[in-house]
Amino acid sequence: MAGSRLPRQLFLQGVAAVFMFAFASLYTQIPGLYGPEGILPARRTLRPQGKGRWQQLWETPTLLWEAPRLGLDTAQGLELLSLLGALVALGALLLSPLRHPVIYLLLWAAYLSACQVGQVFLYFQWDSLLLETGFLAVLVAPLRPASHRKEAPQGRQAGALPHEDLPFWLVRWLLFRLMFASGVVKLTSRCPAWWGLTALTYHYETQCLPTPAAWFAHHLPVWLHKLSVVATFLIEIAVPPLFFAPIRRLRLAAFYSQVLLQVLIIITGNYNFFNLMTLVLTTALLDDQHLAAEPGHGSRKKTATSWPKALLATLSLLLELAVYGLLAYGTVHYFGLEVDWQQRTIHSRTTFTFHQFSQWLKTLTLPTVWLGVASLVWELLSALWRWTQVRGWLRKLSAVVQLSLVGTATVALFLISLVPYSYVEPGTHGRLWTGAHRLFGAVEHLQLANSYGLFRRMTGLGGRPEVVLEGSYDGHHWTEIEFMYKPGNLSRPPPVVVPHQPRLDWQMWFAALGPHTHSPWFTSLVLRLLQGKEPVIRLVQSQVARYPFHKQPPTYVRAQRYKYWFSQPGEQGQWWRRQWVEEFFPSVSLGDPTLETLLRQFGLQKSPPRTRSANSTLAQALHWTRSQLSPLEAPALLWGLLMAVGAVRFVQALLAPCSLRSSPLAPVSGEKRRPASQKDSGAASEQATAAPNPCSSSSRTTRRKK
């Protein structure tokens, strides 16, 4: 099997990029969400209980306990953590020496700290996924930079340690749990849209924040939507076991199927950094041979091989074809695929029952656990074999210590992850080893392993529910309060905001699915709008002048529930159409008994006192930084960071080949370096003449290395 040095580097860079986006996106929203005048002030969540410092930190693991020591309140401490997290992640993305376990541990601790006070606005599955992935990055990151190691023949590094590939296996296991569970819950939920293969006829217009491409996808033929649902089940349920296939081409096929799914989701929906995070996880399916085609690699393939290798290759090809054939047959059989040549369509239907699927899941879930066990045992044995190849007793001793520590951590995390994974099938959950349950219970609050299951049920089957806020000065003439990102104005096209997540807009989507009493924070939002609090107004409209009540707060605020649908082709200037359904939140004003009762009922009436030392020098520096960045809209800030990273990496790529001039030439694989002599100078000059200039833009070799 090929090495995983390059995929690991890609993974670490990807994790750093996602942390950067997550911290920067959160930073722009902190005053409106968690500030003293925000919807859910963060200082409500951290109240000392008279416990010891370390016990308090273990039970509520957040660095924000130390904010008062810096002269900051909780929200300002959260701002500081977000700023530092974004900067540190940016550094790790650009500089390889910063891709160190300590750096990723700091990023993980900072985001965990934010989640502890984030309340409902940070209760999303992608936040849990980022925490779990970020902790795995701590184990995957090397203790010493790869630049200090020499490249050895056969694609491995001479200084590579036996344990280095081991924790990277956990990334593959996490990707398997994420995708398999996301596919299974669609069927275990008994959602009629998923079982009827019609989910995508609703999904594009009912998802939280669609993109303009979602409008076009929504109007595709129904048969193509149903076929897309079949493909989704295939990619999410049938393909993930191939992540552990011993045949490399099967793993690569699984990789490209996952990438295709995630790219299509990114094009049609604004799911912040979630799909980017999933793409980062797919790097665990790659290897060095696939990412970096070495010069001369193609010629080596043409060399004659021994008959055992040829036989093994033939058997592998036959097995690979058998797997593809089995997947094709199962898809046609279980989803009744039939080609209608006259209509030029493909008909599909679900040919199995819920009971049959439940029995299949009960039969299969435990074997997938044993599949993970077998794959992990293979990785452990491979690491042990690599340890036997280490030369020198001191290096051997050091390697076995590191292998023991990393191996123990890998096995422990695998056991912990089995508990949330087994939630997909209750029978399997009860049959797990009790030690795994105890381990999971001990560290559950650290979110080292989580359960996943995306798009469990399809909402909005009769139309997309949407809450529209309205304000008035006299209680008779009402003006709609339009949000920046969620649907509202019928003629405004859906925005593209990825990788930013406007967390208030997301919660407005969830609030529309039920009564307002199921979303206590909504009452606080109404209160802040009545009070005219600018931090909250900036969550609605970043440019306050666009807010209809920016000169004077409204006297009354209410909310209506509508149903939205995408407009039909031919309705020029219209992206949406809507119909009024009912009143969502009654008309209230400041001091209104209804509003006061709701605030008291949800514990939102009284605000805890502010920290006395909140006007420290550090607090003033944070205020100045906020004033400089506030004119930028969040998506523009994140895209600016992305373009800056791209520009820096482009300059690094241009300068890297030129730096080779001052470094000694690397020896050819399998040959020993000889000291330069006059006798070799002629050959060397001829070689230099024939070789392309490494700093030339027309060099094919240089482009291939990049």
Side-chain angles (χ1 to χ4, degrees), residues 587-602:
S587 173
V588 295
S589 60
L590 289 176
D592 188 290
T594 302
L595 179 62
E596 294 297 324
T597 300
L598 288 172
L599 291 173
R600 188 165 49 252
Q601 176 183 345
F602 299 134

PDB file of all heavy atoms in Angstrom, residues 587-602:
ATOM      1  N   SER A 587     -48.426  40.697  18.012  1.00  0.00           N
ATOM      2  CA  SER A 587     -47.927  42.070  18.050  1.00  0.00           C
ATOM      3  C   SER A 587     -47.664  42.481  19.497  1.00  0.00           C
ATOM      4  O   SER A 587     -48.553  42.399  20.356  1.00  0.00           O
ATOM      5  CB  SER A 587     -48.957  43.010  17.412  1.00  0.00           C
ATOM      6  OG  SER A 587     -48.568  44.357  17.593  1.00  0.00           O
ATOM      7  N   VAL A 588     -46.433  42.915  19.778  1.00  0.00           N
ATOM      8  CA  VAL A 588     -46.045  43.313  21.137  1.00  0.00           C
ATOM      9  C   VAL A 588     -45.253  44.609  21.065  1.00  0.00           C
ATOM     10  O   VAL A 588     -44.725  44.992  20.016  1.00  0.00           O
ATOM     11  CB  VAL A 588     -45.192  42.225  21.831  1.00  0.00           C
ATOM     12  CG1 VAL A 588     -45.990  40.955  22.062  1.00  0.00           C
ATOM     13  CG2 VAL A 588     -43.938  41.925  21.016  1.00  0.00           C
ATOM     14  N   SER A 589     -45.180  45.268  22.194  1.00  0.00           N
ATOM     15  CA  SER A 589     -44.357  46.469  22.352  1.00  0.00           C
ATOM     16  C   SER A 589     -43.630  46.371  23.677  1.00  0.00           C
ATOM     17  O   SER A 589     -43.889  45.464  24.478  1.00  0.00           O
ATOM     18  CB  SER A 589     -45.233  47.728  22.301  1.00  0.00           C
ATOM     19  OG  SER A 589     -46.202  47.694  23.344  1.00  0.00           O
ATOM     20  N   LEU A 590     -42.717  47.301  23.918  1.00  0.00           N
ATOM     21  CA  LEU A 590     -41.981  47.289  25.182  1.00  0.00           C
ATOM     22  C   LEU A 590     -42.948  47.467  26.347  1.00  0.00           C
ATOM     23  O   LEU A 590     -43.807  48.360  26.339  1.00  0.00           O
ATOM     24  CB  LEU A 590     -40.931  48.396  25.194  1.00  0.00           C
ATOM     25  CG  LEU A 590     -39.723  48.194  24.269  1.00  0.00           C
ATOM     26  CD1 LEU A 590     -38.804  49.413  24.319  1.00  0.00           C
ATOM     27  CD2 LEU A 590     -38.945  46.944  24.652  1.00  0.00           C
ATOM     28  N   GLY A 591     -42.821  46.621  27.349  1.00  0.00           N
ATOM     29  CA  GLY A 591     -43.713  46.684  28.497  1.00  0.00           C
ATOM     30  C   GLY A 591     -44.999  45.913  28.311  1.00  0.00           C
ATOM     31  O   GLY A 591     -45.814  45.848  29.248  1.00  0.00           O
ATOM     32  N   ASP A 592     -45.229  45.333  27.150  1.00  0.00           N
ATOM     33  CA  ASP A 592     -46.445  44.570  26.889  1.00  0.00           C
ATOM     34  C   ASP A 592     -46.489  43.356  27.817  1.00  0.00           C
ATOM     35  O   ASP A 592     -45.494  42.642  27.967  1.00  0.00           O
ATOM     36  CB  ASP A 592     -46.454  44.123  25.423  1.00  0.00           C
ATOM     37  CG  ASP A 592     -47.776  43.495  25.021  1.00  0.00           C
ATOM     38  OD1 ASP A 592     -48.069  42.379  25.490  1.00  0.00           O
ATOM     39  OD2 ASP A 592     -48.499  44.119  24.234  1.00  0.00           O
ATOM     40  N   PRO A 593     -47.625  43.092  28.465  1.00  0.00           N
ATOM     41  CA  PRO A 593     -47.706  41.939  29.387  1.00  0.00           C
ATOM     42  C   PRO A 593     -47.378  40.605  28.711  1.00  0.00           C
ATOM     43  O   PRO A 593     -46.761  39.730  29.331  1.00  0.00           O
ATOM     44  CB  PRO A 593     -49.164  41.974  29.866  1.00  0.00           C
ATOM     45  CG  PRO A 593     -49.592  43.393  29.672  1.00  0.00           C
ATOM     46  CD  PRO A 593     -48.858  43.885  28.470  1.00  0.00           C
ATOM     47  N   THR A 594     -47.786  40.451  27.448  1.00  0.00           N
ATOM     48  CA  THR A 594     -47.483  39.200  26.741  1.00  0.00           C
ATOM     49  C   THR A 594     -45.982  39.010  26.599  1.00  0.00           C
ATOM     50  O   THR A 594     -45.445  37.913  26.836  1.00  0.00           O
ATOM     51  CB  THR A 594     -48.138  39.203  25.348  1.00  0.00           C
ATOM     52  OG1 THR A 594     -49.553  39.372  25.486  1.00  0.00           O
ATOM     53  CG2 THR A 594     -47.840  37.909  24.604  1.00  0.00           C
ATOM     54  N   LEU A 595     -45.287  40.091  26.212  1.00  0.00           N
ATOM     55  CA  LEU A 595     -43.836  40.016  26.059  1.00  0.00           C
ATOM     56  C   LEU A 595     -43.164  39.768  27.399  1.00  0.00           C
ATOM     57  O   LEU A 595     -42.245  38.932  27.494  1.00  0.00           O
ATOM     58  CB  LEU A 595     -43.320  41.309  25.422  1.00  0.00           C
ATOM     59  CG  LEU A 595     -41.804  41.391  25.206  1.00  0.00           C
ATOM     60  CD1 LEU A 595     -41.328  40.303  24.255  1.00  0.00           C
ATOM     61  CD2 LEU A 595     -41.413  42.772  24.668  1.00  0.00           C
ATOM     62  N   GLU A 596     -43.596  40.462  28.446  1.00  0.00           N
ATOM     63  CA  GLU A 596     -42.991  40.285  29.768  1.00  0.00           C
ATOM     64  C   GLU A 596     -43.198  38.865  30.283  1.00  0.00           C
ATOM     65  O   GLU A 596     -42.296  38.275  30.892  1.00  0.00           O
ATOM     66  CB  GLU A 596     -43.587  41.300  30.751  1.00  0.00           C
ATOM     67  CG  GLU A 596     -43.266  42.752  30.447  1.00  0.00           C
ATOM     68  CD  GLU A 596     -41.789  43.032  30.538  1.00  0.00           C
ATOM     69  OE1 GLU A 596     -41.117  42.448  31.416  1.00  0.00           O
ATOM     70  OE2 GLU A 596     -41.285  43.829  29.718  1.00  0.00           O
ATOM     71  N   THR A 597     -44.373  38.298  30.025  1.00  0.00           N
ATOM     72  CA  THR A 597     -44.646  36.932  30.471  1.00  0.00           C
ATOM     73  C   THR A 597     -43.729  35.935  29.772  1.00  0.00           C
ATOM     74  O   THR A 597     -43.175  35.021  30.399  1.00  0.00           O
ATOM     75  CB  THR A 597     -46.117  36.569  30.196  1.00  0.00           C
ATOM     76  OG1 THR A 597     -46.966  37.487  30.903  1.00  0.00           O
ATOM     77  CG2 THR A 597     -46.410  35.150  30.640  1.00  0.00           C
ATOM     78  N   LEU A 598     -43.544  36.118  28.455  1.00  0.00           N
ATOM     79  CA  LEU A 598     -42.670  35.212  27.710  1.00  0.00           C
ATOM     80  C   LEU A 598     -41.223  35.341  28.167  1.00  0.00           C
ATOM     81  O   LEU A 598     -40.514  34.338  28.321  1.00  0.00           O
ATOM     82  CB  LEU A 598     -42.785  35.504  26.211  1.00  0.00           C
ATOM     83  CG  LEU A 598     -44.099  35.083  25.548  1.00  0.00           C
ATOM     84  CD1 LEU A 598     -44.165  35.610  24.116  1.00  0.00           C
ATOM     85  CD2 LEU A 598     -44.232  33.565  25.553  1.00  0.00           C
ATOM     86  N   LEU A 599     -40.771  36.565  28.403  1.00  0.00           N
ATOM     87  CA  LEU A 599     -39.397  36.762  28.860  1.00  0.00           C
ATOM     88  C   LEU A 599     -39.176  36.118  30.221  1.00  0.00           C
ATOM     89  O   LEU A 599     -38.131  35.494  30.473  1.00  0.00           O
ATOM     90  CB  LEU A 599     -39.077  38.257  28.928  1.00  0.00           C
ATOM     91  CG  LEU A 599     -38.991  39.005  27.592  1.00  0.00           C
ATOM     92  CD1 LEU A 599     -38.850  40.513  27.835  1.00  0.00           C
ATOM     93  CD2 LEU A 599     -37.805  38.501  26.782  1.00  0.00           C
ATOM     94  N   ARG A 600     -40.171  36.259  31.084  1.00  0.00           N
ATOM     95  CA  ARG A 600     -40.049  35.659  32.411  1.00  0.00           C
ATOM     96  C   ARG A 600     -40.121  34.134  32.325  1.00  0.00           C
ATOM     97  O   ARG A 600     -39.397  33.429  33.022  1.00  0.00           O
ATOM     98  CB  ARG A 600     -41.160  36.212  33.310  1.00  0.00           C
ATOM     99  CG  ARG A 600     -41.054  35.824  34.766  1.00  0.00           C
ATOM    100  CD  ARG A 600     -41.946  36.679  35.646  1.00  0.00           C
ATOM    101  NE  ARG A 600     -43.313  36.754  35.127  1.00  0.00           N
ATOM    102  CZ  ARG A 600     -43.844  37.849  34.569  1.00  0.00           C
ATOM    103  NH1 ARG A 600     -43.121  38.952  34.460  1.00  0.00           N
ATOM    104  NH2 ARG A 600     -45.095  37.845  34.119  1.00  0.00           N
ATOM    105  N   GLN A 601     -40.959  33.636  31.441  1.00  0.00           N
ATOM    106  CA  GLN A 601     -41.111  32.189  31.279  1.00  0.00           C
ATOM    107  C   GLN A 601     -39.824  31.540  30.789  1.00  0.00           C
ATOM    108  O   GLN A 601     -39.462  30.443  31.235  1.00  0.00           O
ATOM    109  CB  GLN A 601     -42.248  31.915  30.289  1.00  0.00           C
ATOM    110  CG  GLN A 601     -42.447  30.440  29.958  1.00  0.00           C
ATOM    111  CD  GLN A 601     -43.534  30.239  28.914  1.00  0.00           C
ATOM    112  OE1 GLN A 601     -44.324  31.143  28.637  1.00  0.00           O
ATOM    113  NE2 GLN A 601     -43.576  29.058  28.323  1.00  0.00           N
ATOM    114  N   PHE A 602     -39.102  32.221  29.901  1.00  0.00           N
ATOM    115  CA  PHE A 602     -37.874  31.662  29.334  1.00  0.00           C
ATOM    116  C   PHE A 602     -36.616  32.119  30.066  1.00  0.00           C
ATOM    117  O   PHE A 602     -35.506  31.818  29.640  1.00  0.00           O
ATOM    118  CB  PHE A 602     -37.761  32.047  27.856  1.00  0.00           C
ATOM    119  CG  PHE A 602     -38.884  31.534  27.000  1.00  0.00           C
ATOM    120  CD1 PHE A 602     -39.517  32.359  26.089  1.00  0.00           C
ATOM    121  CD2 PHE A 602     -39.321  30.224  27.123  1.00  0.00           C
ATOM    122  CE1 PHE A 602     -40.558  31.889  25.297  1.00  0.00           C
ATOM    123  CE2 PHE A 602     -40.362  29.742  26.348  1.00  0.00           C
ATOM    124  CZ  PHE A 602     -40.988  30.574  25.432  1.00  0.00           C
TER     125      PHE A 602
END
